[in-house]
């Protein structure tokens, strides 16, 4: 979808008038009109914002790139992945890849402003008095409030709103799209959650067990028994039966007890109830949509994408569509890079450039 550029028609009119004047010569008693001065350039800036959802105040940052005064800018809401991930895409102090902060920088170079915020349990927002993790509905309402806050910024073009979600944030972007008005003009689903939560976790654990076998850390029988035990525990949780993790590797038992325990159970049930492909079928026709997958991503492998892609095609979303990122992992790093490297690989940066291309030229200069 391309935005109209009214300045282009005005420029043509000015050229036509100039040609007429050159042909006819100056009219006696008149002077050449000087061109109107260009609007002043406003420097890039960051603005702290806050908003309320479900009675809890959330805090975030709006980044506004350099632009001409009075110009409305395309604006992107940035949504983080799972776990207590803050506005920068971090879980400090040990996990600090700066994924969302880096995305904001890439978008700023294209003249796109952005809002990122501390989700529940992180940063200045905190848990809002909760004793357990919010469910997906609460996270969606928080993200919708953030979207409305971004829309209300004085620099925002309400016809060029975008939602960029990483990992679980990709599914959250689809959920936000279902309820907000105006609808986003574009979605960027970066390594998005594309399966039911427990199906995806089971796939991840099976891959980890296979790697342990290949490294000589487990036997094939041990891996098979643990895979079967994980499947049984997940089936029991879905059926609301008591979950038995006995016989599993201690690391697996601890993980499942944490997921299915009183702190996280409501969230896990609410996420696992969602089929991302079903949500994607409700996206408005002609929404410009990007989906990325990294060939070295062990969290959301490329082979799991077809169902989501088919749903987006059925919804008649438009280019750029799927971008396969060769050699990149879930954090958009070259495979094998340290987790906390503050970098987004060039191929991933290019995918972001691609999705905002219709608004890039309309917001610069």
């Amino acid at each position: 979808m391309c935005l109209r550029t009214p300045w282009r028609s005005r420029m043509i009119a000015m050229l036509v008038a100039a040609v007429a004047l050159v042909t006819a010569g100056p009219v006696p008693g008149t002077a050449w009109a000087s061109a109107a001065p260009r609007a002043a350039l406003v420097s890039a800036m960051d603005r702290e914002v806050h908003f309320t959802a479900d009675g809890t105040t959330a805090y975030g940052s709006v980044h506004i790139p350099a632009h001409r005064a009075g110009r409305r800018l395309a604006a992107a809401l940035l949504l983080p992945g799972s776990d207590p991930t803050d506005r920068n895409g971090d879980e400090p102090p040990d996990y600090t890849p700066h994924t969302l902060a880096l995305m904001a920088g890439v978008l700023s170079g294209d003249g796109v402003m952005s809002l990122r915020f501390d989700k529940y349990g992180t940063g200045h927002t905190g848990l809002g008095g909760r004793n357990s993790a919010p469910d997906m509905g609460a996270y969606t309402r928080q993200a919708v409030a953030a979207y409305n806050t971004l829309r209300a910024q004085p620099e925002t073009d309400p016809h060029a709103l975008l939602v960029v979600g990483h990992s679980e944030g990709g599914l959250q972007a689809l959920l936000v799209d279902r309820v907000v008005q105006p609808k986003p003009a574009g979605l960027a689903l970066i390594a998005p959650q594309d399966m039911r939560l427990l199906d995806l976790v089971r796939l991840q654990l099976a891959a980890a067990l296979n790697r342990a076998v290949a490294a000589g850390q487990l036997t094939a029988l041990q891996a098979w028994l643990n895979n079967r035990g994980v499947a049984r525990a997940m089936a029991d949780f879905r059926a609301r039966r008591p979950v038995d993790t006995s016989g599993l590797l201690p690391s697996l038992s601890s993980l499942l007890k944490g997921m299915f325990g009183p702190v996280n159970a409501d969230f896990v049930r609410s996420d696992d109830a969602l089929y991302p492909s079903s949500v994607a079928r409700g996206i408005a026709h002609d929404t410009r949509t990007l989906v990325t997958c990294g060939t070295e991503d062990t969290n959301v492998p490329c082979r799991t994408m077809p169902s989501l892609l088919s749903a987006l095609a059925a919804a008649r979303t438009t280019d750029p569509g799927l971008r396969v990122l060769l050699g990149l992992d879930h954090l958009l790093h070259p495979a094998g890079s340290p987790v906390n490297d503050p970098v987004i690989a060039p191929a991933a940066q290019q995918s972001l450039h691609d999705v905002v291309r219709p608004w890039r030229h309309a917001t610069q200069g």
Side-chain angles (χ1 to χ4, degrees):
M1 179 176 67
C2 293
L3 296 181
R4 296 291 300 276
T5 51
W7 57 264
R8 184 174 298 167
S9 59
R10 292 198 298 270
M11 183 66 74
I12 293 171
M14 291 171 62
L15 288 171
V16 169
V19 170
L21 284 170
V22 169
T23 303
V27 177
T30 64
W32 293 100
S34 61
R38 298 184 76 184
L41 183 65
V42 179
S43 299
M45 63 174 290
D46 291 287
R47 176 183 299 144
E48 291 298 297
V49 296
H50 62 273
F51 52 89
T52 301
D54 295 343
T56 297
T57 300
Y59 297 85
S61 302
V62 173
H63 177 73
I64 305 162
H67 63 284
R68 294 290 170 185
R71 173 156 291 180
R72 293 297 187 104
L73 305 177
L77 173 64
L78 307 185
L79 298 177
S82 58
D83 299 324
T85 308
D86 67 17
R87 72 182 76 183
N88 293 324
D90 297 341
E91 297 175 39
D94 298 325
Y95 180 81
T96 55
H98 301 316
T99 308
L100 293 192
L102 292 168
M103 286 184 184
V106 173
L107 294 171
S108 179
D110 286 334
V112 178
M113 61 187 285
S114 60
L115 186 157
R116 59 193 198 276
F117 62 94
D118 294 329
K119 64 190 282 192
Y120 290 119
T122 72
H124 292 143
T125 302
L127 280 171
R130 290 176 169 83
N131 295 319
S132 60
D135 62 13
M136 280 293 279
Y139 283 119
T140 300
R141 291 188 294 275
Q142 187 187 44
V144 167
Y147 182 90
N148 292 334
T149 299
L150 177 61
R151 182 192 60 194
Q153 298 303 301
E155 300 85 0
T156 296
D157 179 352
H159 304 293
L161 287 161
L162 316 169
V163 183
V164 179
H166 176 239
S167 193
E168 181 185 286
L171 171 58
Q172 195 62 260
L174 298 174
L175 295 169
V176 168
D177 179 89
R178 289 201 305 190
V179 297
V180 295
Q181 291 294 339
K183 295 293 186 187
L187 298 173
L189 313 178
I190 310 300
Q193 179 184 333
D194 56 357
M195 301 171 66
R196 292 181 70 184
L197 176 61
L198 293 184
D199 291 341
L200 189 58
V201 171
R202 183 181 175 189
L203 183 152
Q204 294 167 352
L205 295 180
L209 288 167
N210 288 339
R211 290 193 296 272
V213 172
Q217 298 166 340
L218 292 176
T219 66
L221 177 59
Q222 287 173 314
W224 181 82
L225 290 171
N226 276 274
N227 269 317
R228 189 176 69 172
V230 167
R232 181 184 66 248
M234 291 181 174
D236 288 341
F237 179 77
R238 281 176 169 168
R240 297 182 179 270
R241 296 188 295 261
V243 174
D244 180 9
T245 63
S246 62
L248 294 177
L249 292 168
S251 57
L252 290 181
S253 178
S254 177
L255 173 67
L256 295 181
K257 285 179 179 178
M259 289 182 65
F260 302 154
V263 172
N264 293 309
D266 288 346
F267 169 78
V268 172
R269 288 193 196 283
S270 65
D271 191 334
D272 188 56
L274 297 168
Y275 292 79
S277 57
S278 297
V279 180
R281 291 190 186 96
I283 300 303
H285 297 338
D286 299 323
T287 301
R288 186 170 177 83
T289 304
L290 165 73
V291 181
T292 74
C293 73
T295 58
E296 299 301 317
D297 187 343
T298 57
N299 288 38
V300 185
C302 288
R303 68 179 184 276
T304 66
M305 289 286 174
S307 179
L308 176 61
L309 296 172
S310 295
L312 292 170
R316 289 187 280 168
T317 58
T318 63
D319 288 341
L322 177 65
R323 291 289 183 268
V324 176
L325 306 179
L326 297 177
L328 299 194
D329 64 17
H330 193 61
L331 294 175
L332 310 178
H333 293 163
S337 299
V339 167
N340 289 333
D341 269 7
V343 64
I344 293 179
Q349 293 187 40
Q350 186 58 53
S351 69
L352 290 172
H353 294 319
D354 289 345
V355 75
V356 303
R357 180 171 290 125
W359 303 283
R360 182 179 185 184
H361 300 295
T363 59
Q364 291 181 338

